[in-house]
Amino acid sequence: MSDAQLKNLEEIFEQRIANDEKIEPKDWMPEKYRKTHIRQISQHAHSEIVGMLPEGNWITRAPSLRRKVALLAKVQDEAGHGLYLYSACETLGISRDELYEQLHSGKAKYSSIFNYPTVTWADMGAIGWLVDGAAIINQVPLCNTSYGPYARAMIRVCKEESFHQRQGFEIMMTLCNGTEAQKQMAQDALNRWWWPSLMMLGPVDAESVHTEQSMKWKLKRKTNDELRQQFIDQTVPQADILGLTVPDPDLKWNEETGHYDFGEINWDEFWQVVKGHGPCNKERMNARVGAWEKGTWVRDAAMAYAEKQQNKKENPAKAV
Amino acid sequence: MEKKWPLWEIFVRSKNGLEHRHFGSLHAADADMALENARDVYTRRSEGVSIWVVESKNITASNPENNGELFEPAQDKVYRHPTFYTLPDEIKHM
């Protein structure tokens, strides 16, 4: 293909997106579009999969059967979300095994928030309320993104996500209406999860390298800073209802802007965690890679069994 | 050894009276496992009453590059649509 032809195709492509048309797997697309989507969708899928680990920690120790079934269902949803997203990603011409390989080797990233430990039961509340809350803010605009399979997967994810946030808030509310020690536990969880949740929405706009291109392709409808402000504005009143204090001395309502002003985020911490030096990066990857490796014989056995069944069907006479 | 589990396309009928619709895909060792996995992945909240699984390699798809010759001929055949035909105003429904 000549440069002129390529440029023409690219122009037609950008025009289609500008007209709100969807791009489907077999359509022509610029290589950069394909790569950017593989990066973002797989990162998203990996986050769902690794995101099961901090919560898995509490399934056996949930304080009641009600909490246990809810947590199990939530973790199962996360597995499901990972699977929707992996299959959307595979439509771009990358195999599931390559995707896993990128996660396991550290080439692909996942959300930095899952590298923090879950030390008390209240962390299950804080994760549902704050982490899933931030995720919803990030994800809702993606239901309308330009790549068809990703948009369809996101619609399904978003439908299921609101139960996650509610169950988290309910855990927080129950603790806050409990004994003084329980309320303290809820406050402690908020103290530890607040800032990582704000960081989860990504670096400030000035330092976000992908924002501009992603906005054009509708992979992003709002900038990181806009999403963060939206998250803070909606979450602070919820903390008030719980009677908890957001751990930010600079946080205050700004009558003029109609938004909350908030304090400086510790971006050094964020980049440390992204680079692999968070409190649990190693533990998470060991758990994930270990599960994959220990499962090899199961996958092999299933495949051998399937082949044996197939042979039996094709050659019934030979079957012993 | 590790032989990869093949990819399956999943179609779900959400209730009787409606057609099966494409929901997504997943990997499974065989059709039985694809059905079981599809149940867990795509119908956790009563989204379906019937599931079809088809191994992806068995689907033949048209290519968007051929969309012109495939679909454009229909565009100038307006006589296939009822609005192409003129009726007197007195006839309200036909």
Side-chain angles (χ1 to χ4, degrees), chain A residues 13-289:
Chain A
F13 180 85
E14 299 295 346
Q15 196 51 52
R16 288 181 63 192
I17 291 183
N19 292 345
D20 263 334
E21 272 184 55
K22 298 288 177 196
I23 307 302
E24 293 295 343
K26 295 187 81 174
D27 292 344
W28 184 88
M29 60 186 81
E31 204 39 40
K32 197 171 165 214
Y33 181 90
R34 182 187 305 278
K35 288 223 172 95
T36 303
H37 277 74
I38 289 177
R39 197 190 65 238
Q40 178 164 332
I41 301 172
S42 67
Q43 198 169 313
H44 195 161
H46 299 327
S47 301
E48 296 282 357
I49 298 302
V50 178
M52 291 192 283
L53 298 171
E55 291 176 310
N57 185 32
W58 282 94
I59 291 175
T60 55
R61 287 174 283 157
S64 68
L65 187 58
R66 185 174 189 274
R67 295 292 182 220
K68 190 169 187 161
V69 291
L71 188 57
L72 267 171
K74 178 176 192 285
V75 172
Q76 195 189 2
D77 273 354
E78 277 147 15
H81 297 175
L83 292 173
Y84 306 154
L85 291 161
Y86 279 129
S87 46
C89 198
E90 284 173 87
T91 64
L92 290 159
I94 185 164
S95 73
R96 180 73 60 94
D97 280 61
E98 286 173 275
L99 291 169
Y100 286 160
E101 168 54 30
Q102 290 179 352
L103 172 65
H104 297 167
S105 68
K107 189 184 166 215
K109 302 279 180 235
Y110 55 88
S111 185
S112 58
I113 194 115
F114 301 119
N115 291 314
Y116 289 86
T118 46
V119 294
T120 71
W121 169 251
D123 290 1
M124 296 304 97
I127 288 181
W129 173 39
L130 301 172
V131 177
D132 289 283
I136 291 170
I137 283 186
N138 225 343
Q139 291 171 350
V140 167
L142 289 172
C143 295
N144 217 357
T145 187
S146 65
Y147 189 56
Y150 191 27
R152 291 192 285 275
M154 287 319 301
I155 290 170
R156 202 164 284 129
V157 169
C158 287
K159 265 190 203 160
E160 301 181 348
E161 202 79 48
S162 72
F163 130 65
H164 297 183
Q165 196 189 10
R166 281 189 183 207
Q167 69 90 37
F169 190 80
E170 199 196 79
I171 290 172
M172 294 302 268
M173 209 167 56
T174 308
L175 289 172
C176 289
N177 292 332
T179 63
E180 191 46 38
Q182 286 170 327
K183 186 158 186 187
Q184 278 313 310
M185 196 198 278
Q187 180 65 54
D188 167 65
L190 172 59
N191 292 349
R192 284 179 294 107
W193 291 94
W194 175 255
W195 292 104
S197 301
L198 298 190
M199 295 176 199
M200 189 183 152
L201 294 155
V204 291
D205 294 348
E207 284 174 35
S208 174
V209 284
H210 305 300
T211 294
E212 198 191 331
Q213 181 67 76
S214 294
M215 295 283 272
K216 216 163 97 189
W217 286 336
K218 301 179 181 172
L219 246 182
K220 230 181 197 173
R221 315 298 299 243
K222 287 181 181 175
T223 70
N224 295 349
D225 288 336
E226 286 169 336
L227 294 170
R228 195 165 7 250
Q229 188 68 59
Q230 186 186 337
F231 174 73
I232 292 169
D233 289 348
Q234 104 182 18
T235 310
V236 173
Q238 295 167 356
D240 293 342
I241 290 171
L242 292 172
L244 295 177
T245 309
V246 173
D248 177 357
D250 297 324
L251 185 82
K252 69 169 193 294
W253 178 250
N254 184 328
E255 200 66 60
E256 227 165 85
T257 59
H259 295 292
Y260 283 92
D261 292 336
F262 54 97
E264 194 70 34
I265 294 174
N266 181 354
W267 290 108
D268 287 343
E269 175 183 325
F270 173 75
W271 291 113
Q272 282 298 314
V273 179
V274 169
K275 285 180 184 138
H277 310 302
C280 299
N281 294 57
K282 284 208 182 79
E283 187 185 330
R284 300 290 182 242
M285 266 312 96
N286 286 343
R288 169 62 205 160
V289 175

Side-chain angles (χ1 to χ4, degrees), chain B residues 44-75:
Chain B
R44 286 192 302 281
R45 289 179 177 77
S46 316
E47 289 91 340
V49 296
S50 163
I51 303 174
W52 289 348
V53 299
V54 183
E55 201 177 333
S56 309
K57 68 173 187 198
N58 293 326
I59 291 182
T60 309
S62 66
N63 193 326
E65 278 171 29
N66 303 331
N67 276 9
E69 61 201 77
L70 277 178
F71 304 117
E72 272 168 25
Q75 282 172 13

